[in-house]
Amino acid sequence: MKYHPAYEAVRNYYGQARAACSQIPLINHIDQGITILATLRATSQAYCLHPLFQSDNNLATFRHKLAEFDPYVIALVMEYRHIANNHLSNSQDTDITLSPLKEVNDMLRADKVQNYKDFLLYNKNHPNADRLDKYFKPLSVLPPAPILLVRSSYRLCCSFKDALVANLSSNPSLIRLSAST
């Protein structure tokens, strides 16, 4: 995937940029999301592209790139944009409206798990930590994954194993197990 045009597009967009709090390269968000999506046996092209089109400014700036990618992938990106932007961390609403498209819900799951991992590692002492923690609670209402999602995601992204162990006892609803998707 790392040499797929969708990945290259986001890699070029992020360049050497780093997250403000953690100083982790922004591309790590995509790399870890791809790992989670692979665990879910889900597609990752649209996930790679979501940063290019998620904000209104980025959509306007990169609209010329829309024609460069498969229309179905772009449709998934736009649906993801719609669902994710309706549930931003500055919202007081802790409920998340799911997409009718499994691929988009898989993207939401990967994004939330990866972002929650970063929150636990780097932002637990943030002035708005309580509000942010509530923002991540809807992880438990996403459709169950065919794996032990959070545990697998933490194992695959080993750097946050300690954060998982510390948080699972206080947040057992994050562990969802199902034989079907």
Side-chain angles (χ1 to χ4, degrees):
M1 183 67 194
K2 288 192 175 185
Y3 300 104
H4 191 280
Y7 183 85
E8 291 301 312
V10 75
R11 188 177 61 76
N12 290 334
Y13 168 66
Y14 279 151
Q16 299 300 313
R18 294 178 174 272
C21 291
S22 68
Q23 291 302 304
I24 300 294
L26 292 179
I27 196 66
N28 282 13
H29 174 75
I30 299 301
D31 292 338
Q32 292 175 358
I34 289 171
T35 301
I36 295 165
L37 287 166
T39 303
L40 295 171
R41 295 185 187 98
T43 184
S44 57
Q45 289 183 51
Y47 183 80
C48 286
L49 292 173
H50 86 269
L52 271 73
F53 304 111
Q54 188 158 351
S55 74
D56 290 344
N57 287 339
N58 279 9
L59 179 60
T61 300
F62 296 109
R63 67 184 179 276
H64 65 280
K65 290 200 165 285
L66 291 169
E68 295 178 19
F69 299 98
D70 180 90
Y72 185 70
V73 171
I74 294 300
L76 293 175
V77 172
M78 292 300 124
E79 174 68 359
Y80 174 87
R81 177 184 192 277
H82 168 74
I83 299 292
N85 287 353
N86 281 333
H87 183 71
L88 294 174
S89 63
N90 58 5
S91 170
Q92 296 301 313
D93 187 9
T94 58
D95 293 331
I96 186 168
T97 302
L98 299 177
S99 172
L101 304 175
K102 178 190 177 303
E103 298 93 333
V104 172
N105 291 333
D106 288 340
M107 290 170 60
L108 289 166
R109 192 181 296 126
D111 189 61
K112 286 278 192 195
V113 167
Q114 198 287 327
N115 285 334
Y116 192 46
K117 180 270 302 179
D118 282 352
F119 167 72
L120 292 174
L121 282 177
Y122 306 112
N123 295 307
K124 204 59 173 157
N125 295 320
H126 189 281
N128 294 319
D130 290 342
R131 186 178 54 77
L132 289 169
D133 195 49
K134 287 178 185 165
Y135 168 72
F136 289 110
K137 295 297 185 208
L139 275 171
S140 63
V141 301
L142 287 171
I147 57 163
L148 196 54
L149 176 63
V150 174
R151 183 181 229 171
S152 294
S153 299
Y154 276 89
R155 188 185 71 240
L156 291 167
C157 304
C158 294
S159 66
F160 49 96
K161 178 182 172 191
D162 292 336
L164 168 70
V165 172
N167 202 346
L168 278 183
S169 60
S170 65
N171 218 344
S173 65
L174 292 177
I175 302 176
R176 298 292 301 259
L177 196 52
S178 174
S180 61
T181 55

